[in-house]
Amino acid sequence: MTDLTPEQALSRLEIETPSWGYGDSGTRFATFQQPGRPRDVFERLDDAAEVQRLTGTAPSVALHFPWDQVDDLGALRAHAEQGGLRIGAVNPNLFQDPDYKLGSITHPDAGVRRKATDHLLECLKIAEELGSTAQSLWFADGTNYPGQDDLVGRRRRLLECLGEVYAALPEDQELLVEYKLFEPAFYATDLADWGSSLLVCQKLGERARVLVDLGHHAQGTNVEQIVALLGEEGRLGGFHFNNRKYADDDLIVGSVNPFELFLIFCELAGSEHPIPRLTIDQAHNVEAKVEAMVLSVVNIQEAYAKALLVDRDALAAAQAAGDVLAGHSALLDAYRTDVRPLCAKVRAGLGAAEDPVAALRASGYVEKITEERGATAAVAGGWGR
Ligand code: LRH
Ligand code: MN
Protein backbone atom coordinates (compact mmCIF):
# COMPACT_ATOMS: atom_id res chain seq x y z
CA MET A 1 0.00 0.00 0.00
CA THR A 2 1.63 3.27 -1.09
CA ASP A 3 1.16 6.62 0.69
CA LEU A 4 1.99 8.34 -2.60
CA THR A 5 -0.75 10.11 -4.53
CA PRO A 6 -1.92 8.18 -7.64
CA GLU A 7 -0.09 10.77 -9.76
CA GLN A 8 3.17 10.30 -7.82
CA ALA A 9 2.89 6.50 -7.89
CA LEU A 10 2.13 6.52 -11.61
CA SER A 11 5.11 8.74 -12.35
CA ARG A 12 7.34 6.16 -10.62
CA LEU A 13 5.97 3.23 -12.64
CA GLU A 14 8.70 1.48 -14.64
CA ILE A 15 7.97 -1.10 -17.34
CA GLU A 16 10.56 -3.31 -19.06
CA THR A 17 10.06 -4.02 -22.75
CA PRO A 18 11.48 -7.20 -24.39
CA SER A 19 14.09 -6.88 -27.16
CA TRP A 20 12.44 -9.88 -28.85
CA GLY A 21 9.13 -8.05 -29.02
CA TYR A 22 10.59 -5.67 -31.61
CA GLY A 23 12.02 -8.39 -33.84
CA ASP A 24 10.58 -11.06 -36.08
CA SER A 25 8.13 -13.44 -34.45
CA GLY A 26 5.55 -15.89 -35.64
CA THR A 27 3.86 -19.15 -35.04
CA ARG A 28 4.77 -22.63 -36.22
CA PHE A 29 2.85 -21.79 -39.33
CA ALA A 30 4.70 -18.66 -40.43
CA THR A 31 6.81 -15.64 -39.49
CA PHE A 32 5.62 -12.52 -41.34
CA GLN A 33 8.35 -9.90 -41.57
CA GLN A 34 7.43 -6.24 -41.22
CA PRO A 35 8.98 -3.40 -43.20
CA GLY A 36 11.37 -1.47 -40.95
CA ARG A 37 12.00 -4.49 -38.71
CA PRO A 38 15.18 -4.08 -36.60
CA ARG A 39 18.10 -5.95 -38.15
CA ASP A 40 20.11 -6.33 -34.93
CA VAL A 41 19.99 -5.73 -31.18
CA PHE A 42 21.16 -2.12 -31.58
CA GLU A 43 18.13 -1.32 -33.74
CA ARG A 44 15.90 -3.22 -31.28
CA LEU A 45 17.22 -0.87 -28.59
CA ASP A 46 16.52 2.11 -30.87
CA ASP A 47 12.87 1.07 -31.08
CA ALA A 48 12.77 0.59 -27.31
CA ALA A 49 14.20 4.09 -26.87
CA GLU A 50 11.38 5.46 -29.01
CA VAL A 51 8.83 3.70 -26.78
CA GLN A 52 10.53 5.26 -23.73
CA ARG A 53 10.60 8.71 -25.41
CA LEU A 54 6.84 8.51 -26.07
CA THR A 55 5.68 6.98 -22.77
CA GLY A 56 8.33 8.01 -20.20
CA THR A 57 7.56 4.72 -18.42
CA ALA A 58 9.64 2.10 -20.25
CA PRO A 59 13.26 2.80 -19.18
CA SER A 60 14.64 -0.75 -19.38
CA VAL A 61 14.91 -3.53 -21.94
CA ALA A 62 15.06 -7.26 -21.25
CA LEU A 63 17.58 -9.11 -23.43
CA HIS A 64 17.71 -12.71 -24.60
CA PHE A 65 20.91 -14.68 -25.18
CA PRO A 66 22.12 -15.70 -27.72
CA TRP A 67 19.46 -13.78 -29.72
CA ASP A 68 21.03 -10.48 -28.50
CA GLN A 69 24.64 -11.73 -28.36
CA VAL A 70 27.31 -9.22 -29.54
CA ASP A 71 31.12 -9.21 -29.42
CA ASP A 72 31.31 -5.94 -27.43
CA LEU A 73 28.84 -5.92 -24.51
CA GLY A 74 30.26 -2.58 -23.37
CA ALA A 75 29.25 -1.01 -26.68
CA LEU A 76 25.77 -2.52 -26.31
CA ARG A 77 25.41 -1.10 -22.80
CA ALA A 78 26.62 2.32 -24.02
CA HIS A 79 24.14 2.26 -26.93
CA ALA A 80 21.30 1.55 -24.50
CA GLU A 81 22.36 4.37 -22.16
CA GLN A 82 22.70 6.81 -25.08
CA GLY A 83 19.03 6.00 -25.80
CA GLY A 84 18.04 6.78 -22.20
CA LEU A 85 17.67 3.09 -21.41
CA ARG A 86 19.20 0.57 -19.04
CA ILE A 87 19.51 -3.17 -19.57
CA GLY A 88 16.84 -5.15 -17.72
CA ALA A 89 16.66 -8.87 -17.06
CA VAL A 90 18.94 -11.27 -18.91
CA ASN A 91 17.05 -14.23 -20.41
CA PRO A 92 19.18 -17.33 -21.11
CA ASN A 93 17.92 -19.40 -24.07
CA LEU A 94 17.93 -23.14 -23.43
CA PHE A 95 15.11 -24.03 -25.82
CA GLN A 96 16.47 -23.87 -29.37
CA ASP A 97 19.76 -25.74 -29.39
CA PRO A 98 19.19 -29.28 -30.81
CA ASP A 99 21.07 -30.73 -27.82
CA TYR A 100 18.16 -29.64 -25.63
CA LYS A 101 15.49 -31.70 -27.43
CA LEU A 102 14.99 -33.94 -24.40
CA GLY A 103 15.71 -31.18 -21.89
CA SER A 104 18.44 -28.82 -20.80
CA ILE A 105 19.17 -28.80 -17.02
CA THR A 106 16.87 -31.84 -16.68
CA HIS A 107 18.41 -33.81 -19.55
CA PRO A 108 19.30 -37.46 -18.79
CA ASP A 109 22.81 -36.86 -20.18
CA ALA A 110 25.21 -35.13 -17.76
CA GLY A 111 27.14 -33.59 -20.66
CA VAL A 112 24.05 -31.79 -21.92
CA ARG A 113 23.27 -30.58 -18.39
CA ARG A 114 26.82 -29.30 -18.11
CA LYS A 115 26.42 -27.35 -21.36
CA ALA A 116 23.13 -25.86 -20.17
CA THR A 117 24.54 -24.92 -16.77
CA ASP A 118 27.57 -23.30 -18.42
CA HIS A 119 25.22 -21.12 -20.51
CA LEU A 120 23.42 -20.03 -17.33
CA LEU A 121 26.77 -19.24 -15.66
CA GLU A 122 27.89 -17.30 -18.76
CA CYS A 123 24.69 -15.23 -18.54
CA LEU A 124 25.65 -14.21 -14.97
CA LYS A 125 28.79 -12.63 -16.42
CA ILE A 126 26.89 -11.06 -19.34
CA ALA A 127 24.53 -9.44 -16.81
CA GLU A 128 27.46 -8.06 -14.83
CA GLU A 129 28.92 -6.40 -17.96
CA LEU A 130 25.53 -4.97 -18.92
CA GLY A 131 24.63 -3.74 -15.42
CA SER A 132 21.65 -6.11 -15.29
CA THR A 133 20.46 -7.28 -11.86
CA ALA A 134 18.26 -10.22 -12.84
CA GLN A 135 18.40 -13.62 -14.54
CA SER A 136 14.97 -14.41 -15.97
CA LEU A 137 14.84 -18.19 -16.31
CA TRP A 138 12.33 -20.07 -18.43
CA PHE A 139 12.90 -23.74 -19.20
CA ALA A 140 11.04 -25.47 -22.04
CA ASP A 141 12.07 -28.71 -20.33
CA GLY A 142 9.43 -31.43 -20.22
CA THR A 143 8.31 -34.71 -21.78
CA ASN A 144 5.71 -35.68 -24.36
CA TYR A 145 4.80 -39.20 -23.28
CA PRO A 146 4.39 -41.07 -19.97
CA GLY A 147 7.50 -43.21 -19.42
CA GLN A 148 9.68 -40.97 -21.58
CA ASP A 149 11.68 -40.01 -18.47
CA ASP A 150 11.69 -40.22 -14.65
CA LEU A 151 9.81 -37.15 -13.38
CA VAL A 152 11.54 -37.18 -9.97
CA GLY A 153 14.94 -37.71 -11.57
CA ARG A 154 14.37 -34.68 -13.78
CA ARG A 155 13.43 -32.64 -10.68
CA ARG A 156 16.63 -33.59 -8.89
CA ARG A 157 18.74 -32.73 -11.96
CA LEU A 158 17.01 -29.33 -12.24
CA LEU A 159 17.68 -28.51 -8.58
CA GLU A 160 21.30 -29.67 -8.83
CA CYS A 161 22.01 -27.39 -11.80
CA LEU A 162 20.13 -24.39 -10.41
CA GLY A 163 21.88 -24.91 -7.07
CA GLU A 164 25.23 -24.45 -8.83
CA VAL A 165 23.95 -21.31 -10.57
CA TYR A 166 22.53 -19.84 -7.36
CA ALA A 167 25.85 -20.46 -5.58
CA ALA A 168 27.59 -18.41 -8.29
CA LEU A 169 24.95 -15.63 -8.33
CA PRO A 170 26.62 -12.19 -7.89
CA GLU A 171 25.32 -10.27 -4.84
CA ASP A 172 23.42 -7.68 -6.91
CA GLN A 173 21.59 -10.25 -9.03
CA GLU A 174 18.41 -12.23 -8.45
CA LEU A 175 16.89 -15.29 -10.11
CA LEU A 176 13.38 -15.06 -11.57
CA VAL A 177 11.93 -18.53 -12.12
CA GLU A 178 9.17 -18.60 -14.76
CA TYR A 179 6.68 -21.49 -15.05
CA LYS A 180 4.49 -22.59 -17.94
CA LEU A 181 1.71 -25.20 -18.02
CA PHE A 182 2.70 -26.73 -21.37
CA GLU A 183 4.35 -26.12 -24.83
CA PRO A 184 6.66 -27.12 -26.19
CA ALA A 185 6.21 -30.14 -23.89
CA PHE A 186 2.81 -31.73 -24.15
CA TYR A 187 2.79 -34.35 -21.34
CA ALA A 188 4.79 -33.03 -18.33
CA THR A 189 6.54 -29.64 -18.09
CA ASP A 190 9.21 -29.63 -15.37
CA LEU A 191 8.23 -26.14 -14.14
CA ALA A 192 4.51 -26.23 -14.95
CA ASP A 193 2.93 -24.01 -12.30
CA TRP A 194 3.51 -21.43 -9.58
CA GLY A 195 3.82 -24.07 -6.86
CA SER A 196 6.53 -25.93 -8.73
CA SER A 197 8.52 -22.70 -9.18
CA LEU A 198 7.94 -21.58 -5.58
CA LEU A 199 9.29 -24.87 -4.20
CA VAL A 200 12.42 -24.47 -6.34
CA CYS A 201 12.88 -20.85 -5.20
CA GLN A 202 12.47 -21.80 -1.52
CA LYS A 203 15.11 -24.52 -1.93
CA LEU A 204 17.55 -22.15 -3.71
CA GLY A 205 17.44 -19.10 -1.45
CA GLU A 206 16.08 -15.60 -0.73
CA ARG A 207 17.20 -14.15 -4.09
CA ALA A 208 15.14 -16.64 -6.09
CA ARG A 209 11.57 -15.57 -6.76
CA VAL A 210 8.74 -16.62 -9.08
CA LEU A 211 7.97 -14.91 -12.41
CA VAL A 212 4.31 -14.89 -13.51
CA ASP A 213 3.73 -14.94 -17.29
CA LEU A 214 0.03 -14.19 -17.86
CA GLY A 215 -0.14 -16.66 -20.76
CA HIS A 216 1.21 -19.67 -18.90
CA HIS A 217 -1.84 -20.89 -16.97
CA ALA A 218 -4.66 -23.32 -17.57
CA GLN A 219 -7.91 -21.74 -18.72
CA GLY A 220 -9.91 -20.45 -15.74
CA THR A 221 -6.87 -19.98 -13.49
CA ASN A 222 -7.25 -17.07 -11.05
CA VAL A 223 -3.96 -15.30 -11.81
CA GLU A 224 -4.56 -12.35 -9.46
CA GLN A 225 -4.96 -14.84 -6.60
CA ILE A 226 -1.58 -16.39 -7.48
CA VAL A 227 -0.14 -12.84 -7.47
CA ALA A 228 -1.65 -12.20 -4.02
CA LEU A 229 -0.30 -15.48 -2.62
CA LEU A 230 3.23 -15.13 -4.03
CA GLY A 231 3.32 -11.52 -2.86
CA GLU A 232 2.32 -12.54 0.65
CA GLU A 233 5.13 -15.12 0.61
CA GLY A 234 7.60 -12.42 -0.50
CA ARG A 235 8.33 -14.54 -3.56
CA LEU A 236 6.76 -12.50 -6.34
CA GLY A 237 9.77 -11.67 -8.49
CA GLY A 238 8.16 -10.28 -11.61
CA PHE A 239 5.79 -10.54 -14.51
CA HIS A 240 5.73 -11.27 -18.20
CA PHE A 241 2.75 -9.23 -19.29
CA ASN A 242 0.74 -10.21 -22.35
CA ASN A 243 -2.78 -11.49 -22.99
CA ARG A 244 -4.37 -14.65 -24.32
CA LYS A 245 -7.78 -16.02 -25.25
CA TYR A 246 -6.71 -19.62 -25.65
CA ALA A 247 -3.11 -20.62 -24.73
CA ASP A 248 0.23 -18.79 -24.76
CA ASP A 249 -1.03 -16.37 -27.41
CA ASP A 250 1.36 -13.54 -26.39
CA LEU A 251 -1.10 -10.84 -27.48
CA ILE A 252 -1.06 -7.22 -26.34
CA VAL A 253 -1.54 -6.99 -22.56
CA GLY A 254 -5.04 -5.83 -21.68
CA SER A 255 -6.35 -6.53 -25.18
CA VAL A 256 -8.34 -9.65 -24.20
CA ASN A 257 -8.96 -9.38 -20.47
CA PRO A 258 -8.37 -5.82 -19.18
CA PHE A 259 -10.36 -6.54 -16.00
CA GLU A 260 -7.91 -9.33 -15.02
CA LEU A 261 -5.01 -6.92 -15.56
CA PHE A 262 -6.77 -4.37 -13.33
CA LEU A 263 -7.30 -7.00 -10.60
CA ILE A 264 -3.62 -7.98 -10.76
CA PHE A 265 -2.65 -4.34 -10.20
CA CYS A 266 -5.19 -4.11 -7.36
CA GLU A 267 -3.18 -6.84 -5.62
CA LEU A 268 0.11 -5.06 -6.35
CA ALA A 269 -1.18 -1.63 -5.26
CA GLY A 270 -2.66 -3.13 -2.08
CA SER A 271 0.49 -5.04 -1.13
CA GLU A 272 3.07 -3.99 1.52
CA HIS A 273 5.76 -5.23 -0.86
CA PRO A 274 7.29 -2.95 -3.51
CA ILE A 275 6.05 -3.41 -7.08
CA PRO A 276 8.16 -6.22 -8.63
CA ARG A 277 9.79 -6.20 -12.07
CA LEU A 278 7.15 -5.51 -14.71
CA THR A 279 8.29 -6.93 -18.06
CA ILE A 280 6.28 -7.24 -21.25
CA ASP A 281 6.67 -10.54 -23.12
CA GLN A 282 4.73 -10.49 -26.38
CA ALA A 283 4.96 -11.54 -30.02
CA HIS A 284 3.56 -9.07 -32.49
CA ASN A 285 2.98 -11.42 -35.40
CA VAL A 286 0.53 -9.31 -37.45
CA GLU A 287 0.33 -5.92 -35.67
CA ALA A 288 2.74 -2.99 -36.05
CA LYS A 289 5.49 -3.84 -33.54
CA VAL A 290 6.52 -0.42 -32.17
CA GLU A 291 2.91 0.77 -31.87
CA ALA A 292 1.97 -2.51 -30.21
CA MET A 293 4.64 -1.94 -27.57
CA VAL A 294 3.54 1.67 -27.02
CA LEU A 295 -0.09 0.58 -26.61
CA SER A 296 1.00 -2.18 -24.20
CA VAL A 297 2.82 0.32 -21.95
CA VAL A 298 -0.24 2.60 -22.02
CA ASN A 299 -2.57 -0.32 -21.13
CA ILE A 300 -0.40 -1.20 -18.13
CA GLN A 301 -0.25 2.46 -17.03
CA GLU A 302 -4.06 2.69 -17.18
CA ALA A 303 -4.58 -0.60 -15.29
CA TYR A 304 -2.27 0.61 -12.52
CA ALA A 305 -3.96 4.06 -12.46
CA LYS A 306 -7.39 2.46 -12.01
CA ALA A 307 -6.02 0.22 -9.24
CA LEU A 308 -4.58 3.27 -7.45
CA LEU A 309 -8.08 4.84 -7.43
CA VAL A 310 -9.68 2.01 -5.45
CA ASP A 311 -11.26 3.44 -2.27
CA ARG A 312 -9.38 1.13 0.08
CA ASP A 313 -11.29 2.24 3.19
CA ALA A 314 -14.68 1.57 1.55
CA LEU A 315 -13.37 -1.78 0.29
CA ALA A 316 -12.09 -2.81 3.73
CA ALA A 317 -15.33 -1.69 5.43
CA ALA A 318 -17.47 -3.65 2.97
CA GLN A 319 -15.30 -6.76 3.35
CA ALA A 320 -15.40 -6.50 7.16
CA ALA A 321 -19.18 -6.10 7.03
CA GLY A 322 -19.56 -9.04 4.65
CA ASP A 323 -21.26 -6.68 2.20
CA VAL A 324 -20.39 -8.70 -0.88
CA LEU A 325 -21.57 -6.34 -3.57
CA ALA A 326 -20.35 -3.20 -1.82
CA GLY A 327 -16.88 -4.75 -1.92
CA HIS A 328 -17.28 -5.64 -5.59
CA SER A 329 -18.58 -2.16 -6.40
CA ALA A 330 -15.59 -0.54 -4.72
CA LEU A 331 -13.46 -2.20 -7.41
CA LEU A 332 -15.95 -1.54 -10.22
CA ASP A 333 -16.05 2.18 -9.39
CA ALA A 334 -12.30 2.42 -9.89
CA TYR A 335 -12.30 0.17 -12.94
CA ARG A 336 -15.01 2.21 -14.61
CA THR A 337 -13.08 5.47 -14.06
CA ASP A 338 -11.65 7.08 -17.23
CA VAL A 339 -8.00 7.43 -16.23
CA ARG A 340 -6.77 8.57 -19.64
CA PRO A 341 -6.58 12.27 -18.58
CA LEU A 342 -4.62 11.32 -15.42
CA CYS A 343 -2.18 9.13 -17.39
CA ALA A 344 -1.78 11.84 -20.07
CA LYS A 345 -0.97 14.40 -17.35
CA VAL A 346 1.58 12.09 -15.73
CA ARG A 347 3.26 11.34 -19.06
CA ALA A 348 3.42 15.05 -19.89
CA GLY A 349 4.97 15.60 -16.46
CA LEU A 350 7.65 13.05 -17.39
CA GLY A 351 8.36 14.92 -20.62
CA ALA A 352 6.62 12.24 -22.68
CA ALA A 353 3.58 12.31 -24.95
CA GLU A 354 0.06 12.82 -23.61
CA ASP A 355 -1.19 10.41 -26.32
CA PRO A 356 1.81 8.20 -27.22
CA VAL A 357 0.07 6.19 -29.95
CA ALA A 358 -1.08 9.35 -31.76
CA ALA A 359 2.35 10.89 -31.24
CA LEU A 360 4.05 7.82 -32.74
CA ARG A 361 1.79 7.91 -35.79
CA ALA A 362 2.42 11.65 -36.19
CA SER A 363 6.20 11.34 -35.63
CA GLY A 364 6.99 9.52 -38.86
CA TYR A 365 9.28 7.23 -36.83
CA VAL A 366 8.01 4.06 -38.52
CA GLU A 367 8.35 5.59 -41.96
CA LYS A 368 11.90 6.70 -41.07
CA ILE A 369 13.05 3.25 -39.89
CA THR A 370 11.37 1.57 -42.85
CA GLU A 371 13.30 3.93 -45.13
CA GLU A 372 16.58 3.30 -43.29
CA ARG A 373 16.24 -0.44 -42.70
CA GLY A 374 14.49 -1.46 -45.88
CA ALA A 375 11.36 -3.47 -46.44
CA THR A 376 12.09 -7.04 -45.38
CA ALA A 377 15.04 -9.39 -45.40
CA ALA A 378 15.31 -12.18 -47.98
CA VAL A 379 14.79 -14.90 -45.37
CA ALA A 380 12.60 -14.63 -42.25
CA GLY A 381 14.90 -14.34 -39.23
CA GLY A 382 12.64 -16.37 -36.99
CA TRP A 383 11.90 -15.67 -33.34
CA GLY A 384 13.57 -12.74 -31.62
CA ARG A 385 15.83 -11.76 -34.47
C1 LRH B 1 8.09 -18.83 -23.10
C2 LRH B 1 8.36 -17.37 -22.86
C3 LRH B 1 9.65 -17.07 -22.13
C4 LRH B 1 10.53 -16.42 -23.17
C5 LRH B 1 9.89 -16.69 -24.42
C6 LRH B 1 10.19 -15.68 -25.48
O1 LRH B 1 6.81 -19.03 -23.62
O2 LRH B 1 7.26 -16.81 -22.22
O3 LRH B 1 9.49 -16.10 -21.17
O4 LRH B 1 11.84 -16.73 -23.04
O5 LRH B 1 8.51 -16.75 -24.13
MN1 MN C 1 7.48 -15.30 -20.73
Side-chain angles (χ1 to χ4, degrees):
M1 200 86 72
T2 176
D3 49 15
L4 298 171
T5 66
E7 210 165 312
Q8 290 168 330
L10 265 176
S11 60
R12 286 172 176 73
L13 179 67
E14 294 194 338
I15 297 161
E16 191 163 287
T17 66
S19 65
W20 59 93
Y22 298 103
D24 291 343
S25 62
T27 70
R28 58 184 164 173
F29 302 107
T31 292
F32 301 110
Q33 291 196 337
Q34 293 187 13
R37 66 196 272 277
R39 297 164 293 184
D40 58 31
V41 62
F42 294 92
E43 291 182 346
R44 292 193 279 277
L45 289 176
D46 293 342
D47 292 351
E50 179 66 6
V51 173
Q52 167 59 1
R53 185 182 73 79
L54 291 164
T55 65
T57 310
S60 63
V61 181
L63 298 183
H64 222 293
F65 290 90
W67 289 343
D68 295 320
Q69 190 63 53
V70 293
D71 302 339
D72 183 345
L73 289 168
L76 184 61
R77 181 175 181 168
H79 188 81
E81 288 162 2
Q82 271 146 29
L85 300 170
R86 66 174 185 274
I87 302 298
V90 163
N91 292 254
N93 181 328
L94 292 172
F95 52 83
Q96 286 185 307
D97 184 308
D99 287 345
Y100 301 141
K101 184 177 77 173
L102 300 179
S104 63
I105 60 174
T106 62
H107 198 288
D109 179 277
V112 174
R113 299 199 299 276
R114 184 70 260 158
K115 176 180 176 177
T117 306
D118 288 346
H119 178 56
L120 296 174
L121 294 172
E122 184 202 357
C123 283
L124 299 182
K125 295 192 178 54
I126 289 173
E128 278 190 303
E129 289 195 56
L130 293 172
S132 166
T133 59
Q135 298 291 322
S136 192
L137 307 181
W138 173 67
F139 300 100
D141 292 45
T143 60
N144 276 5
Y145 296 93
Q148 173 182 334
D149 198 352
D150 170 20
L151 300 177
V152 172
R154 293 176 70 89
R155 185 74 175 186
R156 291 177 179 160
R157 296 164 205 158
L158 178 147
L159 285 167
E160 184 191 339
C161 294
L162 289 183
E164 181 181 342
V165 174
Y166 192 86
L169 193 64
E171 276 308 309
D172 66 344
Q173 290 190 38
E174 63 174 338
L175 287 188
L176 304 175
V177 181
E178 184 176 1
Y179 57 86
K180 182 175 181 180
L181 183 63
F182 77 102
E183 188 205 41
F186 295 105
Y187 168 62
T189 294
D190 292 288
L191 285 171
D193 59 31
W194 65 269
S196 182
S197 280
L198 179 60
L199 289 171
V200 165
C201 292
Q202 289 170 333
K203 281 196 170 59
L204 291 175
E206 290 307 310
R207 285 184 291 130
R209 298 189 292 164
V210 180
L211 186 142
V212 177
D213 184 311
L214 272 58
H216 288 187
H217 304 86
Q219 284 287 346
T221 300
N222 186 325
V223 178
E224 59 270 23
Q225 186 182 24
I226 294 171
V227 169
L229 186 150
L230 291 171
E232 182 62 6
E233 293 297 319
R235 292 285 180 166
L236 179 62
F239 289 87
H240 274 180
F241 283 117
N242 49 59
N243 238 183
R244 54 76 169 269
K245 192 165 188 60
Y246 303 103
D248 191 20
D249 308 351
D250 281 338
L251 299 171
I252 290 173
V253 59
S255 65
V256 176
N257 191 344
F259 192 56
E260 176 192 59
L261 184 63
F262 162 72
L263 294 173
I264 287 170
F265 274 95
C266 285
E267 295 303 332
L268 296 178
S271 166
E272 283 99 37
H273 296 277
I275 299 261
R277 189 180 293 264
L278 307 175
T279 305
I280 292 170
D281 176 10
Q282 291 170 192
H284 306 129
N285 302 337
V286 297
E287 64 272 46
K289 295 178 188 282
V290 176
E291 183 172 329
M293 205 67 82
V294 169
L295 178 57
S296 302
V297 172
V298 169
N299 286 353
I300 293 173
Q301 280 177 320
E302 293 180 359
Y304 185 38
K306 289 173 186 260
L308 289 165
L309 297 180
V310 171
D311 180 338
R312 295 278 163 180
D313 299 339
L315 180 64
Q319 291 170 343
D323 187 337
V324 174
L325 293 183
H328 185 49
S329 301
L331 295 188
L332 288 182
D333 291 347
Y335 181 67
R336 290 168 172 163
T337 304
D338 182 357
V339 293
R340 290 174 293 182
L342 168 62
C343 292
K345 184 165 178 266
V346 167
R347 285 190 292 265
L350 294 166
E354 292 195 0
D355 182 341
V357 170
L360 173 68
R361 286 185 174 235
S363 71
Y365 179 77
V366 175
E367 292 74 10
K368 179 173 77 70
I369 59 175
T370 301
E371 183 62 34
E372 287 167 6
R373 299 171 187 175
T376 58
V379 179
W383 256 93
R385 278 167 292 178

